[in-house]
Amino acid sequence: MTGVVPVPGDAPTSTAGPVLVIGTGLIGASVALALRERGTEVWLQDRDPEALSVAVERGAGLPRPAAGEPALVIVAVPPAAAPSVVIEVLRSTVNATVSDVVSTKARLQREIETSGLDASAIARFVPGHPMAGREVSGPAAARADLFADRVWALTPSAATDLTRTRQVAALVESLGAVPVITSPDEHDRAVALTSHTPQVVASTVAAGLADLGDTGVRLSGQGLRDVTRLAASDPGLWAEILASNAEPVAGALDSLIDRLAAVRDGLRAGEAGAAAVRTSLEAGVVGHRRVPGKHGAAPVTWAVVAVSVADRPGELGRLFADAGATGVNLEDVRIEHAQGRPTGLVELEVSPESASSLADGLRTTGWDVRF
């Protein structure tokens, strides 16, 4: 996100409890699990007793007690419910810092600031959005490491107390995430393109498979799995998210439709349109180079050493052990499963200067290496 800067380094380094987590879905329960792992007292609240029960059973915390005020509240409810919940928490607490995990910020911020709350209450609200998630939902899918090394946007307004922002930044850092500060509007424009549009694209591409016969689906490769992975996400939740960021998403889709139309028109023009198609594909290469690389650093082109691996217990572990014995650092790993055969192709990404050493080392231990 353009203009995003790290939270000041003098933010506290620990999070004092108790922390109240309202909403025990994937994100809320993951926040709670991560805090409990670090010894923070966590209270849980959810209007769904079954979700609350699962979160408690998983060790995410204890139900909110009848008395007592938390030091910090994380509101982890769907976008449509978030404003009323945040407002109620700010009205019912005296000194608690309040944050949220809603994936759009401008609309929520406007509703809080026009709610009639007094300035001291509004100053306690630090809007947030962890750039993490999974295509599965609910407390059973929660993970304590969900936020490790992920960006967590904070969008405090001019009305937000700086001390409160630092307190939330401390919580974010305690979860292993990287807090960054941006404005609500800039955040929403960015996620419209980087998060919300990919979800729409994944869902619409996957929707097209309904009209494809079984034989056609079997002709798919890893590219289809990569593009459609997000399509398994909760449609109800995503409908709310998109509605809460409607205009920025609509604008991003307008731009995408224009780019798709340029490719479509180029294809229909035959040879005369070949240059336009190539230009569109080249623009994609340029854009892909802007996607942050490992640990958020500049992207790097790795060499790929592909290894055929039998689909049986222990084989991946043996492969990684043999790769480690070569002394070559694995930068990334991808697995493509063969259709109709009990094997998979494991693509090991390494620095170009290390690829030959890795390939040779694995061959000497009997692996079928494609390099």
Side-chain angles (χ1 to χ4, degrees), residues 219-230:
L219 296 177
S220 65
Q222 188 63 33
L224 181 67
R225 295 183 182 88
D226 291 343
V227 169
T228 61
R229 179 181 61 84
L230 295 174

Side-chain angles (χ1 to χ4, degrees), residues 29-30 33 53-61 138-144:
S30 293
L33 284 171
S53 176
V54 171
V56 171
E57 288 174 5
R58 294 205 58 201
R143 289 171 28 182

Side-chain angles (χ1 to χ4, degrees), residues 5-6 16 53 63 86 100 169 190 203 222 235 264 309 334 364:
V5 295
S53 176
V86 170
D100 74 293
S203 296
Q222 188 63 33
R264 178 201 62 200
V309 178
R334 293 178 297 177
T364 62

Side-chain angles (χ1 to χ4, degrees), residues 298-324:
V300 175
T301 300
W302 306 114
V304 176
V305 177
V307 184
S308 180
V309 178
D311 188 6
R312 58 175 179 255
E315 287 298 278
L316 273 179
R318 187 168 69 88
L319 172 61
F320 292 149
D322 289 344

Side-chain angles (χ1 to χ4, degrees), residues 205-220 224:
V205 170
L209 298 177
D211 298 325
L212 192 62
D214 292 344
T215 299
V217 173
R218 285 181 62 84
L219 296 177
S220 65
L224 181 67

Side-chain angles (χ1 to χ4, degrees), residues 16-110:
V19 174
L20 169 64
V21 177
I22 301 178
T24 54
L26 171 66
I27 300 298
S30 293
V31 168
L33 284 171
L35 287 172
R36 288 297 303 130
E37 256 192 12
R38 290 154 178 79
T40 302
E41 182 181 2
V42 177
W43 300 343
L44 302 174
Q45 178 179 325
D46 199 308
R47 65 181 183 180
D48 181 346
E50 183 177 347
L52 179 61
S53 176
V54 171
V56 171
E57 288 174 5
R58 294 205 58 201
L62 296 175
R64 182 180 186 176
E69 179 171 308
L72 195 150
V73 180
I74 299 294
V75 175
V77 300
S84 61
V85 174
V86 170
I87 290 167
E88 172 58 28
V89 171
L90 289 171
R91 282 179 175 156
S92 62
T93 58
V94 176
N95 194 48
T97 298
V98 181
S99 188
D100 74 293
V101 297
V102 176
S103 60
T104 53
K105 310 315 308 174
R107 180 175 170 180
L108 174 61
Q109 188 73 33
R110 285 194 299 271

Side-chain angles (χ1 to χ4, degrees), residues 144-215:
D145 64 350
L146 187 65
F147 312 104
D149 301 321
R150 298 299 186 94
V151 167
W152 191 307
L154 300 178
T155 62
S157 71
T160 306
D161 187 292
L162 179 59
T163 301
R164 307 287 181 167
T165 300
R166 289 174 174 166
Q167 184 184 8
V168 176
L171 177 137
V172 168
E173 290 179 338
S174 76
L175 302 181
V178 180
V180 295
I181 296 178
T182 186
S183 71
D185 289 331
E186 185 176 24
H187 168 277
D188 288 0
R189 286 193 300 270
V191 297
L193 179 60
T194 63
S195 176
H196 302 165
T197 297
Q199 178 65 50
V200 173
V201 169
S203 296
T204 52
V205 170
L209 298 177
D211 298 325
L212 192 62
D214 292 344
T215 299

